[in-house]
Amino acid sequence: MFTVTQLAKRCAISRATVLYYEREGLLQPALRSDNGYRWYGEAELARLERILAFRAFGLPITDIIHLLNREGADQPRLLKSHFDKLEQKIAELRKQQKAIVRFLQQPELLEEKMVTKDRWVEIMRAAGLSEEDMQNWHKRFEQMEPQGHQEFLESLGIEPEEIKKIRQH
Amino acid sequence: MFTVTQLAKRCAISRATVLYYEREGLLQPALRSDNGYRWYGEAELARLERILAFRAFGLPITDIIHLLNREGADQPRLLKSHFDKLEQKIAELRKQQKAIVRFLQQPELLEEKMVTKDRWVEIMRAAGLSEEDMQNWHKRFEQMEPQGHQEFLESLGIEPEEIKKIRQH
DNA sequence: TTGCTCCTCACGTCACGTGAGGTGGC
DNA sequence: TTGCTCCTCACGTCACGTGAGGTGGC
């Protein structure tokens, strides 16, 4: 049996977090001794570990309560929906980053770790592709994966207008 | 001159937000009439627009106060540092997404909107590249932009071990 | 009087962190 | 008595949203 602090240390979280989960109805101690001390056993430890695993997905507490109570078949659905929410948040943060870059007029920030358009062209040339080969390649890419083509061009940091031109080609 | 609600509507934000900025010391009304009504002029409108521009970067209020008071030369520094914080948050969210994918054992989630390895190979083939051309292309990519090559292969959803093989080739 | 806008508190959010003030066992 | 752990409130965080209860001008 462990006390709150012992349990918290085992899971590398704070005592406050364990108490918070208790208030939220996620995790109750196995028993309370006469002096009011909380005592946890292996079952509670296992439950806390499950909770923390879900938290590592970024799931809100209310969702976790849901998942722990009725292990519904809707678990995958809930997780997928959460996955999409994460995608949205990421898109929002990327938007903020782009706004900063535009403001500072420093596209280097974004390109820093990226392969840029010029670099890509150099690589393709070094691999033996001619100007015509590359045009043909874009054509195929556009035909077979239009959305993927768009994202690929964006990833090279190419301006929207130029992307349009390349795709219409 | 506008009232709070009018000013808020002009900037497509809520009255509550304007009042919050006032409490935080970001934006004071030009004057208050006898009945206590707030009145804002063009100067306040312009200031609010600047505030909202900074907010679009995801900057916390305290940073914005800083930026509006002393237009320090450290403005770019602050923005770059914020840019990095955004990068960190994004990395965290990506980690959460990956954890969900592992849990569900459904790599399709990540690949869903992505061009996958197989698809990429098809495109390259359709563009007329032979097996040998592609190997040569990887070689050049690896030589010229090793980091970019790694990220590109990751973006195709290829497993770490296979990435190693391709890069060592 | 009815409607509309304005005002000022004050509480809620989300997942905890951080004391303050007090108790119990060695 | 001193140290250490435990306990229970209760307030703070961040950027607002949402009433509640009241006033002023048409």
Side-chain angles (χ1 to χ4, degrees):
Chain A
M1 302 288 272
F2 337 102
T3 65
V4 211
T5 307
Q6 283 166 2
L7 180 70
K9 277 193 181 160
R10 275 217 176 205
C11 293
I13 59 176
S14 76
R15 185 187 107 103
T17 300
V18 179
L19 296 185
Y20 175 66
Y21 292 164
E22 182 178 326
R23 279 200 300 284
E24 295 300 309
L26 262 177
L27 179 77
Q28 305 304 322
L31 59 92
R32 291 264 202 157
S33 44
D34 292 346
N35 53 16
Y37 284 25
R38 294 165 174 83
W39 294 100
Y40 303 86
E42 293 298 332
E44 286 72 33
L45 175 62
R47 189 177 168 92
L48 180 51
E49 278 167 354
R50 289 193 63 201
I51 294 170
L52 294 177
F54 282 130
R55 278 261 66 211
F57 299 161
L59 277 174
I61 302 296
T62 49
D63 284 0
I64 297 179
I65 293 175
H66 221 95
L67 288 176
L68 289 180
N69 288 351
R70 17 175 172 166
E71 313 247 0
D74 58 338
Q75 181 174 313
R77 210 181 45 72
L78 206 162
L79 290 178
K80 275 178 201 162
S81 138
H82 181 62
F83 182 92
D84 292 341
K85 274 180 210 151
L86 291 173
E87 194 70 37
Q88 282 175 28
K89 276 190 203 167
I90 290 173
E92 205 184 311
L93 299 181
R94 283 261 175 253
K95 216 172 160 185
Q96 297 180 346
Q97 280 191 324
K98 280 185 188 170
I100 293 178
V101 168
R102 267 199 308 279
F103 181 79
L104 290 177
Q105 300 277 31
Q106 295 186 341
E108 313 92 71
L109 265 183
L110 280 176
E111 290 173 10
E112 212 165 59
K113 294 171 183 175
M114 274 173 28
V115 177
T116 64
K117 178 197 164 195
D118 291 345
R119 209 59 186 129
W120 186 263
V121 170
E122 280 182 55
I123 292 169
M124 295 299 256
R125 261 207 207 102
L129 276 80
S130 69
E131 205 57 47
E132 210 190 318
D133 290 336
M134 287 190 241
Q135 286 212 4
N136 186 35
W137 175 76
H138 276 301
K139 234 188 203 160
R140 295 297 171 187
F141 202 166
E142 180 65 26
Q143 277 174 4
M144 298 172 72
E145 291 286 343
Q147 182 60 23
H149 194 200
Q150 169 77 28
E151 279 166 26
F152 170 76
L153 294 171
E154 279 174 11
S155 84
L156 295 181
I158 301 175
E159 295 300 313
E161 318 136 37
E162 204 186 337
I163 290 183
K164 255 192 189 169
K165 267 196 219 163
I166 296 173
R167 294 188 61 187
Q168 283 171 353
H169 228 36
Chain B
M1 302 287 270
F2 337 101
T3 65
V4 213
T5 307
Q6 284 165 2
L7 180 70
K9 277 193 180 159
R10 275 217 175 205
C11 293
I13 58 175
S14 76
R15 186 186 107 103
T17 300
V18 179
L19 295 185
Y20 175 67
Y21 291 164
E22 182 177 325
R23 278 201 300 284
E24 295 299 308
L26 261 178
L27 180 75
Q28 306 304 322
L31 59 91
R32 290 265 202 156
S33 45
D34 292 347
N35 54 16
Y37 283 26
R38 294 164 174 83
W39 293 101
Y40 303 86
E42 293 298 332
E44 287 72 33
L45 175 61
R47 188 176 169 93
L48 180 51
E49 278 167 352
R50 289 194 62 201
I51 294 170
L52 294 177
F54 282 129
R55 280 262 63 212
F57 298 163
L59 278 173
I61 302 297
T62 48
D63 284 0
I64 297 179
I65 293 175
H66 221 95
L67 287 175
L68 288 180
N69 289 352
R70 18 177 170 164
E71 312 248 0
D74 58 339
Q75 182 173 312
R77 209 180 45 73
L78 205 161
L79 289 179
K80 276 177 200 163
S81 137
H82 181 63
F83 182 92
D84 292 341
K85 275 180 209 152
L86 290 173
E87 194 71 36
Q88 281 174 29
K89 277 190 202 167
I90 290 173
E92 205 184 313
L93 298 181
R94 283 261 176 253
K95 217 172 158 184
Q96 298 181 346
Q97 281 192 325
K98 281 185 186 170
I100 293 177
V101 169
R102 266 199 309 278
F103 182 78
L104 289 178
Q105 300 275 31
Q106 296 187 341
E108 314 91 72
L109 265 182
L110 282 176
E111 292 173 7
E112 210 168 57
K113 294 172 182 172
M114 275 174 26
V115 177
T116 64
K117 179 199 163 194
D118 291 344
R119 211 56 188 134
W120 185 264
V121 171
E122 280 182 54
I123 293 169
M124 294 298 257
R125 261 205 207 104
L129 275 80
S130 68
E131 206 57 46
E132 209 190 316
D133 291 336
M134 287 189 240
Q135 286 211 7
N136 185 35
W137 175 75
H138 276 301
K139 234 187 204 161
R140 295 297 173 187
F141 201 165
E142 180 64 28
Q143 276 174 6
M144 297 172 74
E145 291 286 343
Q147 182 61 20
H149 194 200
Q150 169 78 27
E151 279 167 28
F152 169 77
L153 294 171
E154 279 175 11
S155 84
L156 295 182
I158 302 175
E159 294 301 313
E161 319 136 36
E162 202 186 336
I163 290 182
K164 256 192 188 168
K165 269 198 220 164
I166 296 173
R167 294 188 62 187
Q168 283 171 354
H169 227 35

